[in-house]
Amino acid sequence: MIVNKDENRVHPPPRLADQLTMQGVKQIADVTSGRLRRSFWFLVVCSGLTFSAFNIAKQVQLYLSVPVNVDIDVRLAQTLQFPTVTVCNTNMFKKSEMDQLNLTGALKEAFIYDFQESVKFDDTNYDFSVVDVDSIETAMFKYGFDVNDSVIKCDWMQQECDATHLTEMKTEIGVCFSFNVNGSTSTVGSGRHYGLHLLLDAQSEEFTRSRENTEGPGFMIAVHSPDVPLLMNDIGMALTPGSQYFYGVELATTTSPKGMDQCGSKRLKYYNKPYSREACRIECLTEYALEQCSCRDIYMPGNGKQCSAVKGLQCLVPAMYRYPSTLRECESSCPQTCSYTTFNVRSSSSLRMTQEYLSTLASATNKTPDYWRSNYVAVDVYLSSMTYQSIEKRYGYSVLELFCDIGGALSLVLGASVVTGVELIDFAVQRLCAYWCYKSNTKRINVKSLQ
């Protein structure tokens, strides 16, 4: 019988220098070289490892910081969407109507000035039975201002427009009117001749109180996207009687990948239109009003019951004053949308009109120049350019770029790569296998002493 002598031979374990392609390792493991040369290469490899580890740590830190690149492109368009323009009279109700109902004092008690101490409104001091309406909305439409009360003249692209082009809109400061409420109107040029021109009558003698502490007659104006519900307190600008205002508008579109800067969307309870943060915030206000007063304001969505005039003064108004001081956890869960259109406004104003202009206007309207000096407001809203900004945000450092930089840091000094890591794993597996084979082929021999 022939016995193979190599059958049980234990092969020597693999050496790291033979398995690894990283530069410098073979020089360190070369036993034929002198100690000085091997020590030199050992220092070179250690320095290379330190350099690579430092740079890899910096690249990983950069990746974890989630850098963002912003690409801004200015584009010329033949036609551009015109924004929605909303104008609100700061006065809630006409003084003549409130005096007739003996409720002017109720308004002054419910809507105090900012320097006055807050007191609880007592509705028993007033007779609200004379108000033959069942909600705040009905009261505002009946005793407040409508489009015909406020607008003297309306021109769009130098063509006359009228009240049919202006749509009533309910906001947190009352019933307002809007131009281009559905966003269907576009313009073909920039400048005042291709924009909206409004002449307004503030009717200062009818001023009683404002809902939002704008202590004086006049208007609030907002230039906004038609796709986003309006919060006048966020973007509204004041229009003072006796002045002319010019608003040049620039359009910009912004897109971001989902999740960047925590942008996104959520399902809304009351709105069916595309998600917006403003709509989410209005829903938070609605839920708070329903929780505090079991009724809602005129601008709040849903099928909940609208507050009556008494309930509005007694409960809703104080609740809305308290809302900013709450934790507002609801609003913190409203993310910003990832794609949106903004209208950036640049404004200027002229604080005087000539006496001739006021006299001519007075003759045309059967009113005095002094009246128009205290009530006249002229507004021009137009695009300042037919170019628009396209802003695109994107992640500035991807996973692929991270691995490329790690590979560059490893190969620059050490000549290593991802395959080097695979070689290290393969070497460790071979060493374990060699150790296991050595243990399994080793026999313990017990030597007994001869007697």
Side-chain angles (χ1 to χ4, degrees):
M1 181 178 179
I2 301 176
V3 179
N4 187 0
K5 296 182 180 180
D6 295 332
E7 182 179 357
N8 295 321
R9 179 180 297 177
V10 178
H11 297 282
R15 296 193 315 157
L16 181 63
D18 298 330
Q19 299 293 318
L20 207 61
T21 57
M22 188 172 70
Q23 295 178 358
V25 175
K26 290 184 179 181
Q27 287 81 350
I28 295 174
D30 186 7
V31 295
T32 62
S33 298
R35 181 177 298 177
L36 181 62
R37 179 172 181 267
R38 294 172 67 185
S39 299
F40 169 77
W41 279 105
F42 178 77
L43 291 175
V44 170
V45 172
C46 288
S47 300
L49 287 172
T50 303
F51 173 81
S52 299
F54 174 75
N55 281 277
I56 290 172
K58 286 187 64 177
Q59 298 310 124
V60 171
Q61 185 180 12
L62 176 63
Y63 176 77
L64 294 178
S65 67
V66 194
V68 175
N69 288 341
V70 181
D71 298 328
I72 301 177
D73 187 16
V74 179
R75 302 175 182 176
L76 176 66
Q78 298 301 316
T79 61
L80 282 177
Q81 180 189 29
F82 197 77
T84 299
V85 180
T86 301
V87 179
C88 306
N89 195 313
T90 58
N91 189 13
M92 287 183 59
F93 300 110
K94 296 178 181 178
K95 188 176 185 300
S96 58
E97 296 284 355
M98 294 296 102
D99 287 345
Q100 187 176 354
L101 298 172
N102 294 320
L103 293 178
T104 305
L107 286 178
K108 293 181 178 180
E109 185 177 328
F111 297 95
I112 60 175
Y113 291 123
D114 51 6
F115 58 85
Q116 292 179 304
E117 294 185 4
S118 177
V119 293
K120 185 176 181 181
F121 176 71
D122 186 4
D123 61 287
T124 60
N125 295 330
Y126 306 96
D127 181 13
F128 283 93
S129 62
V130 296
V131 182
D132 56 342
V133 294
D134 56 357
S135 67
I136 299 178
E137 179 179 355
T138 310
M140 286 188 171
F141 277 110
K142 185 173 182 178
Y143 304 118
F145 294 86
D146 59 21
V147 176
N148 296 315
D149 293 327
S150 300
V151 179
I152 308 168
K153 185 176 177 58
C154 171
D155 290 326
W156 165 246
M157 294 179 60
Q158 296 187 310
Q159 299 294 321
E160 186 175 357
C161 55
D162 53 29
T164 60
H165 297 87
L166 304 172
T167 306
E168 288 177 338
M169 175 180 286
K170 293 169 283 189
T171 72
E172 71 272 30
I173 70 172
V175 178
C176 311
F177 61 89
S178 298
F179 176 82
N180 191 30
V181 70
N182 58 4
S184 60
T185 301
S186 300
T187 183
V188 295
S190 59
R192 295 171 57 194
H193 296 305
Y194 295 93
L196 176 68
H197 176 68
L198 294 172
L199 296 183
L200 307 174
D201 182 2
Q203 298 190 28
S204 302
E205 76 284 355
E206 292 281 7
F207 184 79
T208 53
R209 280 293 192 269
S210 166
R211 287 194 64 177
E212 299 298 333
N213 295 330
T214 50
E215 311 301 357
F219 297 91
M220 295 287 287
I221 185 173
V223 180
H224 58 101
S225 170
D227 301 323
V228 177
L230 173 63
L231 285 170
M232 185 62 76
N233 283 328
D234 284 4
I235 61 174
M237 297 169 285
L239 301 175
T240 304
S243 303
Q244 185 174 14
Y245 294 86
F246 305 95
Y247 293 103
V249 182
E250 295 179 349
L251 188 147
T253 61
T254 303
T255 58
S256 306
K258 188 175 182 179
M260 179 177 286
D261 298 329
Q262 299 181 348
C263 75
S265 63
K266 62 181 292 187
R267 186 178 181 85
L268 299 180
K269 183 177 180 180
Y270 302 114
Y271 284 100
N272 294 323
K273 59 173 59 178
Y275 170 83
S276 64
R277 174 169 167 78
E278 289 78 5
C280 182
R281 291 175 58 199
I282 292 176
E283 287 203 352
C284 292
L285 285 165
T286 304
E287 292 294 336
Y288 184 78
L290 292 173
E291 177 186 343
Q292 296 292 315
C293 305
S294 301
C295 61
R296 60 184 177 88
D297 207 340
I298 61 172
Y299 70 97
M300 296 176 178
N303 297 321
K305 180 182 177 182
Q306 281 196 13
C307 296
S308 64
V310 178
K311 195 69 172 289
L313 296 176
Q314 192 175 43
C315 180
L316 184 62
V317 172
M320 291 299 101
Y321 281 145
R322 292 193 304 268
Y323 179 76
S325 62
T326 63
L327 295 177
R328 294 195 290 181
E329 295 178 358
C330 177
E331 288 193 18
S332 64
S333 65
C334 296
Q336 179 60 275
T337 51
C338 296
S339 299
Y340 53 91
T341 300
T342 56
F343 294 93
N344 302 315
V345 180
R346 295 181 179 179
S347 64
S348 61
S349 62
S350 174
L351 300 180
R352 290 185 179 182
M353 279 82 64
T354 64
Q355 184 63 33
E356 180 185 0
Y357 180 90
L358 293 175
S359 299
T360 306
L361 179 61
S363 299
T365 56
N366 295 322
K367 294 183 179 179
T368 65
D370 289 338
Y371 174 86
W372 287 119
R373 189 175 288 108
S374 302
N375 291 281
Y376 170 89
V377 177
V379 182
D380 286 275
V381 182
Y382 52 90
L383 296 185
S384 57
S385 172
M386 288 303 291
T387 60
Y388 69 96
Q389 284 189 344
S390 176
I391 303 172
E392 181 181 359
K393 296 181 180 180
R394 55 186 175 83
Y395 290 110
Y397 199 58
S398 65
V399 177
L400 178 60
E401 291 172 319
L402 172 64
F403 279 112
C404 289
D405 287 341
I406 290 175
L410 289 172
S411 61
L412 179 62
V413 178
L414 302 175
S417 65
V418 176
V419 177
T420 306
V422 178
E423 290 175 343
L424 283 171
I425 296 174
D426 180 67
F427 170 75
V429 172
Q430 289 192 64
R431 291 289 300 209
L432 288 174
C433 292
Y435 177 77
W436 181 81
C437 292
Y438 174 77
K439 293 292 290 184
S440 62
N441 287 280
T442 300
K443 297 180 180 179
R444 293 184 179 182
I445 303 175
N446 297 324
V447 180
K448 296 181 179 180
S449 57
L450 298 176
Q451 295 181 352

